[in-house]
mmCIF file with all atom_site columns, all heavy atoms in Angstrom:
data_model
loop_
_atom_site.group_PDB
_atom_site.id
_atom_site.type_symbol
_atom_site.label_atom_id
_atom_site.label_alt_id
_atom_site.label_comp_id
_atom_site.label_asym_id
_atom_site.label_entity_id
_atom_site.label_seq_id
_atom_site.pdbx_PDB_ins_code
_atom_site.Cartn_x
_atom_site.Cartn_y
_atom_site.Cartn_z
_atom_site.occupancy
_atom_site.B_iso_or_equiv
_atom_site.pdbx_formal_charge
_atom_site.auth_seq_id
_atom_site.auth_comp_id
_atom_site.auth_asym_id
_atom_site.auth_atom_id
_atom_site.pdbx_PDB_model_num
ATOM 1  N N   . GLY A 1 124 ? 77.520 61.680 -22.028 1.00 88.00 ? 124 GLY A N   1
ATOM 2  C CA  . GLY A 1 124 ? 77.754 60.877 -23.188 1.00 88.00 ? 124 GLY A CA  1
ATOM 3  C C   . GLY A 1 124 ? 76.978 59.562 -23.212 1.00 88.00 ? 124 GLY A C   1
ATOM 4  O O   . GLY A 1 124 ? 76.988 58.835 -24.200 1.00 88.00 ? 124 GLY A O   1
ATOM 5  N N   . ALA A 1 125 ? 76.290 59.246 -22.086 1.00 93.00 ? 125 ALA A N   1
ATOM 6  C CA  . ALA A 1 125 ? 75.547 57.989 -22.016 1.00 93.00 ? 125 ALA A CA  1
ATOM 7  C C   . ALA A 1 125 ? 74.403 57.970 -23.040 1.00 93.00 ? 125 ALA A C   1
ATOM 8  O O   . ALA A 1 125 ? 74.113 56.902 -23.596 1.00 93.00 ? 125 ALA A O   1
ATOM 9  C CB  . ALA A 1 125 ? 74.986 57.798 -20.603 1.00 93.00 ? 125 ALA A CB  1
ATOM 10 N N   . ASP A 1 126 ? 73.822 59.089 -23.353 1.00 94.00 ? 126 ASP A N   1
ATOM 11 C CA  . ASP A 1 126 ? 72.724 59.150 -24.319 1.00 94.00 ? 126 ASP A CA  1
ATOM 12 C C   . ASP A 1 126 ? 73.235 58.773 -25.717 1.00 94.00 ? 126 ASP A C   1
ATOM 13 O O   . ASP A 1 126 ? 72.523 58.163 -26.494 1.00 94.00 ? 126 ASP A O   1
ATOM 14 C CB  . ASP A 1 126 ? 72.058 60.509 -24.321 1.00 94.00 ? 126 ASP A CB  1
ATOM 15 C CG  . ASP A 1 126 ? 73.009 61.671 -24.549 1.00 94.00 ? 126 ASP A CG  1
ATOM 16 O OD1 . ASP A 1 126 ? 74.204 61.519 -24.276 1.00 94.00 ? 126 ASP A OD1 1
ATOM 17 O OD2 . ASP A 1 126 ? 72.559 62.728 -24.977 1.00 94.00 ? 126 ASP A OD2 1
ATOM 18 N N   . ARG A 1 127 ? 74.493 59.120 -26.006 1.00 95.00 ? 127 ARG A N   1
ATOM 19 C CA  . ARG A 1 127 ? 75.060 58.773 -27.333 1.00 95.00 ? 127 ARG A CA  1
ATOM 20 C C   . ARG A 1 127 ? 75.280 57.258 -27.469 1.00 95.00 ? 127 ARG A C   1
ATOM 21 O O   . ARG A 1 127 ? 75.418 56.761 -28.593 1.00 95.00 ? 127 ARG A O   1
ATOM 22 C CB  . ARG A 1 127 ? 76.356 59.517 -27.554 1.00 95.00 ? 127 ARG A CB  1
ATOM 23 C CG  . ARG A 1 127 ? 76.127 60.990 -27.888 1.00 95.00 ? 127 ARG A CG  1
ATOM 24 C CD  . ARG A 1 127 ? 77.427 61.676 -28.138 1.00 95.00 ? 127 ARG A CD  1
ATOM 25 N NE  . ARG A 1 127 ? 77.851 62.154 -26.814 1.00 95.00 ? 127 ARG A NE  1
ATOM 26 C CZ  . ARG A 1 127 ? 79.049 62.614 -26.528 1.00 95.00 ? 127 ARG A CZ  1
ATOM 27 N NH1 . ARG A 1 127 ? 79.984 62.657 -27.452 1.00 95.00 ? 127 ARG A NH1 1
ATOM 28 N NH2 . ARG A 1 127 ? 79.347 63.053 -25.300 1.00 95.00 ? 127 ARG A NH2 1
ATOM 29 N N   . LEU A 1 128 ? 75.318 56.581 -26.362 1.00 96.00 ? 128 LEU A N   1
ATOM 30 C CA  . LEU A 1 128 ? 75.471 55.105 -26.386 1.00 96.00 ? 128 LEU A CA  1
ATOM 31 C C   . LEU A 1 128 ? 74.113 54.426 -26.425 1.00 96.00 ? 128 LEU A C   1
ATOM 32 O O   . LEU A 1 128 ? 74.043 53.209 -26.563 1.00 96.00 ? 128 LEU A O   1
ATOM 33 C CB  . LEU A 1 128 ? 76.254 54.633 -25.151 1.00 96.00 ? 128 LEU A CB  1
ATOM 34 C CG  . LEU A 1 128 ? 77.724 55.078 -25.086 1.00 96.00 ? 128 LEU A CG  1
ATOM 35 C CD1 . LEU A 1 128 ? 78.317 54.800 -23.708 1.00 96.00 ? 128 LEU A CD1 1
ATOM 36 C CD2 . LEU A 1 128 ? 78.529 54.396 -26.189 1.00 96.00 ? 128 LEU A CD2 1
ATOM 37 N N   . GLY A 1 129 ? 73.021 55.198 -26.289 1.00 96.00 ? 129 GLY A N   1
ATOM 38 C CA  . GLY A 1 129 ? 71.691 54.581 -26.334 1.00 96.00 ? 129 GLY A CA  1
ATOM 39 C C   . GLY A 1 129 ? 70.982 54.545 -25.005 1.00 96.00 ? 129 GLY A C   1
ATOM 40 O O   . GLY A 1 129 ? 69.835 54.080 -24.924 1.00 96.00 ? 129 GLY A O   1
ATOM 41 N N   . PHE A 1 130 ? 71.609 55.019 -23.958 1.00 97.00 ? 130 PHE A N   1
ATOM 42 C CA  . PHE A 1 130 ? 70.986 55.017 -22.647 1.00 97.00 ? 130 PHE A CA  1
ATOM 43 C C   . PHE A 1 130 ? 70.069 56.227 -22.442 1.00 97.00 ? 130 PHE A C   1
ATOM 44 O O   . PHE A 1 130 ? 70.254 57.268 -23.058 1.00 97.00 ? 130 PHE A O   1
ATOM 45 C CB  . PHE A 1 130 ? 72.057 55.081 -21.526 1.00 97.00 ? 130 PHE A CB  1
ATOM 46 C CG  . PHE A 1 130 ? 72.846 53.812 -21.403 1.00 97.00 ? 130 PHE A CG  1
ATOM 47 C CD1 . PHE A 1 130 ? 74.093 53.701 -21.968 1.00 97.00 ? 130 PHE A CD1 1
ATOM 48 C CD2 . PHE A 1 130 ? 72.349 52.738 -20.654 1.00 97.00 ? 130 PHE A CD2 1
ATOM 49 C CE1 . PHE A 1 130 ? 74.831 52.533 -21.838 1.00 97.00 ? 130 PHE A CE1 1
ATOM 50 C CE2 . PHE A 1 130 ? 73.074 51.571 -20.508 1.00 97.00 ? 130 PHE A CE2 1
ATOM 51 C CZ  . PHE A 1 130 ? 74.314 51.493 -21.098 1.00 97.00 ? 130 PHE A CZ  1
ATOM 52 N N   . GLU A 1 131 ? 69.086 56.031 -21.626 1.00 97.00 ? 131 GLU A N   1
ATOM 53 C CA  . GLU A 1 131 ? 68.191 57.121 -21.234 1.00 97.00 ? 131 GLU A CA  1
ATOM 54 C C   . GLU A 1 131 ? 68.457 57.437 -19.778 1.00 97.00 ? 131 GLU A C   1
ATOM 55 O O   . GLU A 1 131 ? 68.573 56.530 -18.981 1.00 97.00 ? 131 GLU A O   1
ATOM 56 C CB  . GLU A 1 131 ? 66.710 56.749 -21.449 1.00 97.00 ? 131 GLU A CB  1
ATOM 57 C CG  . GLU A 1 131 ? 66.428 56.527 -22.940 1.00 97.00 ? 131 GLU A CG  1
ATOM 58 C CD  . GLU A 1 131 ? 64.983 56.237 -23.207 1.00 97.00 ? 131 GLU A CD  1
ATOM 59 O OE1 . GLU A 1 131 ? 64.123 56.874 -22.552 1.00 97.00 ? 131 GLU A OE1 1
ATOM 60 O OE2 . GLU A 1 131 ? 64.714 55.392 -24.079 1.00 97.00 ? 131 GLU A OE2 1
ATOM 61 N N   . ILE A 1 132 ? 68.605 58.702 -19.476 1.00 95.00 ? 132 ILE A N   1
ATOM 62 C CA  . ILE A 1 132 ? 68.991 59.143 -18.109 1.00 95.00 ? 132 ILE A CA  1
ATOM 63 C C   . ILE A 1 132 ? 67.708 59.520 -17.398 1.00 95.00 ? 132 ILE A C   1
ATOM 64 O O   . ILE A 1 132 ? 66.924 60.334 -17.859 1.00 95.00 ? 132 ILE A O   1
ATOM 65 C CB  . ILE A 1 132 ? 69.950 60.339 -18.217 1.00 95.00 ? 132 ILE A CB  1
ATOM 66 C CG1 . ILE A 1 132 ? 71.222 59.919 -18.965 1.00 95.00 ? 132 ILE A CG1 1
ATOM 67 C CG2 . ILE A 1 132 ? 70.273 60.865 -16.842 1.00 95.00 ? 132 ILE A CG2 1
ATOM 68 C CD1 . ILE A 1 132 ? 72.059 61.069 -19.455 1.00 95.00 ? 132 ILE A CD1 1
#
Side-chain angles (χ1 to χ4, degrees):
D126 55 337
R127 285 180 271 167
L128 293 169
F130 289 99
E131 296 184 38
I132 300 164

